[in-house]
Amino acid sequence: MNIYKQNTDIFEFDRLKCLRTDYYHNNCSECIDICPENAFIFDRGKLKLDEKSCKNCGVCVGVCPSEALSVNFFDPNGYIVSLNDSEVFLSCKKDTPCLSIFSTQNFITLALRKDKVSCDLSHCENCELNKENKIYESIKNRIDEANRFLKESKCDKKIEIKKISQDLGRRALFKKMFNNVKELSGEGIDIKSLSNVRNRIPIKNILLKNSIKKEIESINNSRISTNYSFLSNKKIDFDLCNNCSDCVKFCPTDALFYSNDSTTIWFQAGKCISCGICNNICEPKAIDNEENIDLIEYAFDRGKKLVEHKLEICSECKTPFAYKGGELICDRCKNFVNDFGDIFQLASDME
């Protein structure tokens, strides 16, 4: 039994992929906010699934930034790469579950790969899952975000929202498991490697990057804003950074990483899932977000140097530290002297 996974017969919650497990102070609450049955709870500070309350609806799958949630009867990523039609019509009354199973990245990927993408949201109004209209608003917000991305990148694509009143009849949803390992391997995705705790780039992000690569000629503006839920571009203030390495250690996807000599911190926007852990954990607040990002650098996983330090040996504790001029003493020792120097001076005077 895997103690890090909670399962119903259909639904799975992988705690090792959850951002709340990565960093205790992370405040991601996407699954909690959207769940119509309040099936996610906190028990002794840990996010857990109330298996008795879970209805296996899958509406939370599309909002999870790290793909910690899944259902065994439908994989949105596998479904996307298996589609052969040039025009796609998504409906919960056709061959998919609730459209909330798709993320913003999924919607953009579909739009980039297909000639036409339409979504049927007409059944949300009378759906028992759509309490307080939260599911409908969440799906629509994701589609709107996808369209905003397509518009800003000046790509001649758009996802349409249509209303179809009749029941279309499900064609193949429960006849086929949409895991599609073969199709995903064709995208350069190794499922086994992605199960590694330190290599957790969501498949939806990889598919999006592949789609941008394939459609790069149709993207007329590669420099766009980072005002999206899944995009982030980082910068580090040299004067504030003390090279403590916390941002690198806690990055769940290794988007932040060190050079071999631990003097330089690099960043790959294509691996970042915009979780904000690095910003929150940085005690001197040296990390901040850039307002823009280059989609070519993002799609091709190009790294950029954020900060480079010169290491010297502290004269007090004899450990390497990021030297910025002046005395050869690290911040820890300097703060210790400032905080407790009077005590040592008092002890010296009493001898």
Side-chain angles (χ1 to χ4, degrees), residues 237-245 283-284 286 309 321-322 324 331:
D237 188 314
F238 171 79
D239 293 325
L240 293 177
C241 179
N242 59 14
N243 203 37
C244 71
S245 79
E283 189 172 339
H309 292 288
F321 74 102
K324 295 182 172 62
D331 289 341

Side-chain angles (χ1 to χ4, degrees), residues 74-127:
F74 189 90
D75 172 22
N77 297 307
Y79 173 77
I80 289 170
V81 298
S82 70
L83 289 172
N84 295 318
D85 297 338
S86 60
E87 296 187 5
V88 177
F89 177 64
L90 300 178
S91 173
C92 64
K93 298 299 182 182
K94 188 167 176 265
D95 55 5
T96 74
C98 173
L99 266 58
S100 187
I101 205 165
F102 295 104
S103 65
T104 298
Q105 296 96 306
N106 289 151
F107 286 123
I108 297 172
T109 295
L110 277 168
L112 289 174
R113 295 183 178 215
K114 303 300 177 181
D115 294 337
K116 184 178 180 180
V117 179
S118 304
C119 297
D120 175 18
L121 301 185
S122 62
H123 306 284
C124 294
E125 184 176 354
N126 297 319
C127 178

Side-chain angles (χ1 to χ4, degrees), residues 298-347:
Y298 169 80
F300 287 91
D301 287 328
R302 294 178 182 173
K304 71 170 183 176
K305 184 190 297 185
L306 296 188
V307 67
E308 184 173 8
H309 292 288
K310 178 183 178 183
L311 300 184
E312 295 288 356
I313 302 298
C314 176
S315 59
E316 294 292 330
C317 64
K318 309 304 179 185
T319 58
F321 74 102
Y323 180 67
K324 295 182 172 62
E327 294 182 85
L328 287 174
I329 182 171
C330 68
D331 289 341
R332 182 175 58 181
C333 291
K334 189 183 298 182
N335 292 336
F336 187 84
V337 170
N338 291 337
D339 293 340
F340 303 105
D342 55 339
I343 296 177
F344 289 107
Q345 182 62 46
L346 178 62

Side-chain angles (χ1 to χ4, degrees), residues 19-277:
L19 297 177
R20 302 300 287 258
T21 302
D22 278 315
Y23 181 51
Y24 181 81
H25 299 290
N26 185 270
N27 61 3
C28 180
S29 61
E30 297 288 352
C31 58
I32 299 171
D33 295 340
I34 201 170
C35 181
E37 304 298 333
N38 298 315
F40 290 96
I41 58 175
F42 279 101
D43 181 15
R44 288 169 287 185
K46 298 293 184 181
L47 183 64
K48 290 187 177 182
L49 174 69
D50 182 354
E51 297 165 10
K52 294 181 180 179
S53 297
C54 179
K55 301 300 183 184
N56 304 307
C57 61
V59 300
C60 57
V61 172
V63 299
C64 180
S66 56
E67 292 184 337
L69 311 172
S70 61
V71 289
N72 65 13
F73 62 87
F74 189 90
D75 172 22
N77 297 307
Y79 173 77
I80 289 170
V81 298
S82 70
L83 289 172
N84 295 318
D85 297 338
S86 60
E87 296 187 5
V88 177
F89 177 64
L90 300 178
S91 173
C92 64
K93 298 299 182 182
K94 188 167 176 265
D95 55 5
T96 74
C98 173
L99 266 58
S100 187
I101 205 165
F102 295 104
S103 65
T104 298
Q105 296 96 306
N106 289 151
F107 286 123
I108 297 172
T109 295
L110 277 168
L112 289 174
R113 295 183 178 215
K114 303 300 177 181
D115 294 337
K116 184 178 180 180
V117 179
S118 304
C119 297
D120 175 18
L121 301 185
S122 62
H123 306 284
C124 294
E125 184 176 354
N126 297 319
C127 178
E128 62 179 10
L129 299 175
N130 189 35
K131 297 177 181 179
E132 300 177 358
N133 213 35
K134 287 197 298 185
I135 305 298
Y136 170 82
E137 289 296 334
S138 179
I139 299 170
K140 187 175 183 302
N141 287 341
R142 275 173 264 167
I143 294 174
D144 288 345
E145 184 179 36
N147 280 331
R148 183 162 55 85
F149 177 93
L150 295 166
K151 182 178 181 180
E152 188 177 0
S153 59
K154 295 184 178 179
C155 178
D156 189 23
K157 302 274 188 172
K158 184 179 180 180
I159 301 168
E160 296 182 2
I161 296 178
K162 289 188 174 181
K163 292 187 176 182
I164 306 296
S165 58
Q166 72 270 25
D167 191 326
L168 300 172
R170 294 177 183 263
R171 294 190 304 183
L173 176 59
F174 297 107
K175 296 180 181 179
K176 178 183 178 182
M177 299 294 183
F178 287 112
N179 291 319
N180 293 292
V181 174
K182 182 179 179 180
E183 286 89 345
L184 289 174
S185 65
E187 295 282 336
I189 299 171
D190 184 348
I191 301 297
K192 291 183 178 179
S193 71
L194 289 175
S195 65
N196 187 300
V197 176
R198 291 298 297 173
N199 187 17
R200 295 203 334 247
I201 305 167
I203 295 175
K204 58 187 176 184
N205 288 26
I206 298 175
L207 292 181
L208 174 58
K209 290 187 292 183
N210 287 349
S211 302
I212 293 173
K213 292 175 189 175
K214 292 176 181 178
E215 299 298 323
I216 198 67
E217 292 185 0
S218 66
I219 296 175
N220 297 308
N221 178 33
S222 66
R223 191 76 182 177
I224 67 170
S225 72
T226 53
N227 189 27
Y228 297 92
S229 60
F230 58 94
L231 279 182
S232 189
N233 197 9
K234 302 295 180 181
K235 59 182 177 181
I236 294 180
D237 188 314
F238 171 79
D239 293 325
L240 293 177
C241 179
N242 59 14
N243 203 37
C244 71
S245 79
D246 282 349
C247 60
V248 174
K249 290 177 182 176
F250 280 85
C251 179
T253 57
D254 290 339
L256 290 165
F257 60 97
Y258 267 117
S259 58
N260 291 333
D261 59 1
S262 299
T263 62
T264 306
I265 298 177
W266 290 77
F267 175 68
Q268 285 179 290
K271 291 184 177 181
C272 180
I273 59 174
S274 195
C275 64
I277 289 177

